[in-house]
Amino acid sequence: MDRLGPFGNDPFDKPPCKGCSSYLTEPYIKCAECGPSPFLICLQCFTRGFEYKKHQSDHKYEIMTSDFPVLEPGWTAQEEMALLEAVMDCGFGNWQDVAYQMRTKAKEECESHYMKNFINNPLFSSTLLSLQKTKDSHFADTAIPFKPTDDPPRPTFESVLSRDMAGYMPARADFMEEFDNYAEWDLKDIDFVDDDSDVLRALKLAVVDIYHSRLRERQRRKKIIRDHGLINLRKFQILERCYPKEVQEMYDVMRRFARVVGPTEHDKFIESNALEFELRKEIHRLQEYRKAGIKSFCSAKVYDRVKRVREEERRKRTMLSDVLQYIQDSRACQQWLSKQAAIDAGITPPVTTLTVSASGRRSAPPLNLTGLPGTEKLNEREKELCQVVRLVPGAYLEYKQALLNECRRQGGLRLAQARALIKIDVNKTRKIYDFLIKEGYITKA
């Protein structure tokens, strides 16, 4: 009897029975003589003496099952795999749903078994961690040996390390150029003498108080930089890039509030927002499954696979429609193929100029507005205009606002005034001017 089955707990992961084509459930039979691909049949076909091609009913066989304990009595290998799959599907800590998916163990049994054997099991500790614990226990009952602290780094002026540390000098805990670097200049000519009048002495003391307030502001800013780890800005930016794009944008907005909270509280706030973003993303994915009528994770895997295939087919159709635009021009077609090859290779495609055929100048294809800033602010007719004129949405909105302001100021606008106001191609200006008049944004003078 072979006690370790080669497949998981899900019956759909196993190949069908060679005899009746039904999905195999444990225990099932594996022929020990047929190969190299495994010949698997269910118990019903085995008892009937099923034979197929080279397989004979008198061949040696193995009984495939996982009904045996692995980590502790009372938990079979099949239940261990079912527990791990349930935790993966339902999430760690959701023991009620884990027990419901397993159906053979209670909530408390699942939690205690998982914590005991997969979280707190000393057999799963790394060798390095075990050696570290042994080293720590060796010095537990003895005095901690004295070791002088390492000398702080002393980067030379204009070195790479000095630039990375923004001119910070750890040995002095100062920057090479401090905030309000010339604050001391206001004190260099002040001298307290005995014959100063009361007003002059009060004025000098006020200047000293102002200097002290500027020093406190300098120390406050320096403390914020040290506490939040902003001295090495490049390392800080690398850590920021670990977050999704949406969390990075929120990080930029919330950075100004870092000065009023501690570094730990600020990091916890950012991490909690990153977790919220991931949860919302997961909820959106689950809602998409529910909207599609999917009620199990097994069906969700099939849905995701089919969705990827559908997106790939849509991309191929789009690519075909693009290449059909250049099918009559061999040079333009070759440029398009080179551009697609560069995109597939992960490099930036070279900028190519429009080609001129024997019949005259070829018109440029419409501009693709996908992902361009400001696209969401345009209506459908404005998007069509920007595509035809090949004008990015941000520039169009700027030109539109300039023409609206001029029209409002003068009570009307002529084409010559629009061309004087917008320094672009006159044909593009004419199309923008006619469009704004047609849509009622401006009026003719």
Side-chain angles (χ1 to χ4, degrees):
M1 177 181 293
D2 192 342
R3 307 180 74 185
L4 289 176
F7 306 104
N9 187 46
D10 191 350
F12 296 98
D13 292 339
K14 304 181 181 67
C17 172
K18 291 289 186 180
C20 59
S21 299
S22 61
Y23 287 103
L24 295 172
T25 57
E26 295 181 355
Y28 55 94
I29 305 301
K30 174 185 177 183
C31 181
E33 298 182 16
C34 297
S37 60
F39 189 91
L40 307 176
I41 58 176
C42 62
L43 292 180
Q44 289 76 10
C45 295
F46 176 75
T47 55
R48 291 198 304 266
F50 175 78
E51 295 182 351
Y52 180 74
K53 293 184 178 181
K54 295 182 179 181
H55 174 70
Q56 303 296 323
S57 59
D58 58 350
H59 281 183
K60 297 179 181 180
Y61 61 90
E62 299 173 359
I63 302 176
M64 310 298 290
T65 181
S66 58
D67 189 17
F68 59 94
V70 178
L71 299 177
E72 65 181 28
W75 281 79
T76 64
Q78 186 174 3
E79 290 176 332
E80 297 285 358
M81 290 187 293
L83 175 62
L84 295 177
E85 291 178 359
V87 173
M88 185 181 299
D89 293 340
C90 303
F92 176 77
N94 194 6
W95 304 114
Q96 185 69 34
D97 292 344
V98 170
Y100 178 79
Q101 182 169 328
M102 286 195 61
R103 299 183 182 277
T104 58
K105 298 294 180 180
K107 168 187 173 182
E108 293 75 16
E109 292 177 310
C110 295
E111 181 179 2
S112 61
H113 181 77
Y114 191 90
M115 297 299 297
K116 175 183 176 182
N117 294 282
F118 296 99
I119 300 297
N120 301 323
N121 193 342
L123 296 177
F124 295 155
S125 300
S126 63
T127 306
L128 183 61
L129 182 60
S130 301
L131 292 175
Q132 184 66 32
K133 290 181 178 179
T134 304
K135 182 179 179 181
D136 293 342
S137 62
H138 177 71
F139 291 105
D141 298 330
T142 59
I144 300 177
F146 172 77
K147 183 187 295 183
T149 58
D150 296 332
D151 192 45
R154 302 173 185 270
T156 58
F157 182 68
E158 290 298 331
S159 63
V160 177
L161 181 59
S162 178
R163 289 195 298 269
D164 288 344
M165 298 176 65
Y168 183 72
M169 297 176 288
R172 295 174 50 185
D174 287 332
F175 286 90
M176 194 168 297
E177 184 174 346
E178 296 285 352
F179 169 75
D180 200 357
N181 198 44
Y182 300 99
E184 289 77 9
W185 281 28
D186 295 336
L187 297 178
K188 62 185 182 68
D189 297 327
I190 293 181
D191 187 15
F192 288 89
V193 294
D194 296 336
D195 56 350
D196 285 341
S197 63
D198 295 339
V199 176
L200 182 59
R201 186 176 183 84
L203 180 60
K204 292 180 179 180
L205 290 176
V207 173
V208 173
D209 290 339
I210 293 174
Y211 171 70
H212 286 165
S213 65
R214 296 165 78 177
L215 286 184
R216 286 193 294 269
E217 178 64 17
R218 180 186 296 176
Q219 293 299 324
R220 187 185 72 87
R221 290 173 178 259
K222 193 183 303 183
K223 183 176 184 300
I224 292 174
I225 292 175
R226 283 199 301 261
D227 292 346
H228 289 269
L230 303 178
I231 293 177
N232 194 334
L233 186 59
R234 182 179 302 176
K235 182 179 179 181
F236 184 77
Q237 292 173 343
I238 292 176
L239 293 176
E240 276 190 348
R241 296 193 189 102
C242 297
Y243 295 110
K245 182 180 178 181
E246 293 79 3
V247 179
Q248 291 182 23
E249 294 176 355
M250 187 272 301
Y251 207 127
D252 293 336
V253 175
M254 300 306 298
R255 185 181 290 118
R256 66 193 67 180
F257 299 104
R259 66 184 69 182
V260 297
V261 296
T264 305
E265 291 76 8
H266 184 68
D267 290 343
K268 285 182 179 179
F269 176 77
I270 299 298
E271 290 291 341
S272 62
N273 279 272
L275 178 60
E276 179 187 1
F277 171 76
E278 293 296 334
L279 291 176
R280 289 181 180 274
K281 185 177 179 181
E282 183 68 16
I283 290 173
H284 178 72
R285 186 172 69 92
L286 296 177
Q287 289 175 344
E288 181 183 358
Y289 291 157
R290 179 58 59 89
K291 186 178 180 180
I294 297 174
K295 298 182 179 180
S296 65
F297 283 98
C298 182
S299 302
K301 294 179 182 178
V302 178
Y303 173 79
D304 290 337
R305 184 167 62 251
V306 173
K307 183 179 178 181
R308 286 194 297 270
V309 173
R310 185 169 63 250
E311 292 294 336
E312 183 67 21
E313 292 296 331
R314 183 182 293 112
R315 190 181 68 85
K316 291 180 179 178
R317 289 196 299 269
T318 305
M319 184 183 300
L320 180 60
S321 63
D322 290 342
V323 76
L324 288 177
Q325 300 177 7
Y326 308 101
I327 200 66
Q328 301 297 333
D329 192 336
S330 59
R331 183 179 177 185
C333 185
Q334 186 63 35
Q335 291 176 353
W336 185 89
L337 292 175
S338 302
K339 177 182 177 182
Q340 293 299 322
I343 294 176
D344 294 338
I347 60 178
T348 303
V351 179
T352 56
T353 58
L354 295 176
T355 58
V356 180
S357 61
S359 59
R361 184 177 179 181
R362 181 179 59 83
S363 61
L367 179 65
N368 186 9
L369 302 182
T370 304
L372 294 181
T375 306
E376 68 281 356
K377 300 179 181 179
L378 306 180
N379 56 37
E380 294 302 324
R381 293 183 297 276
E382 289 177 323
K383 290 180 182 178
E384 183 179 355
L385 174 68
C386 290
Q387 290 175 342
V388 174
V389 181
R390 296 186 60 81
L391 192 66
V392 295
Y396 165 75
L397 292 173
E398 182 180 349
Y399 298 152
K400 174 185 174 183
Q401 189 61 41
L403 295 177
L404 289 177
N405 294 338
E406 187 68 17
C407 180
R408 215 177 287 119
R409 189 174 64 87
Q410 297 188 5
L413 194 65
R414 298 196 307 270
L415 177 60
Q417 293 173 328
R419 287 176 174 172
L421 195 62
I422 302 177
K423 301 299 183 180
I424 59 175
D425 182 69
V426 292
N427 296 320
K428 292 184 178 181
T429 305
R430 176 60 181 264
K431 292 180 180 179
I432 296 174
Y433 177 79
D434 293 342
F435 174 79
L436 294 179
I437 293 227
K438 180 181 178 181
E439 295 296 324
Y441 290 108
I442 61 176
T443 57
K444 287 185 177 181

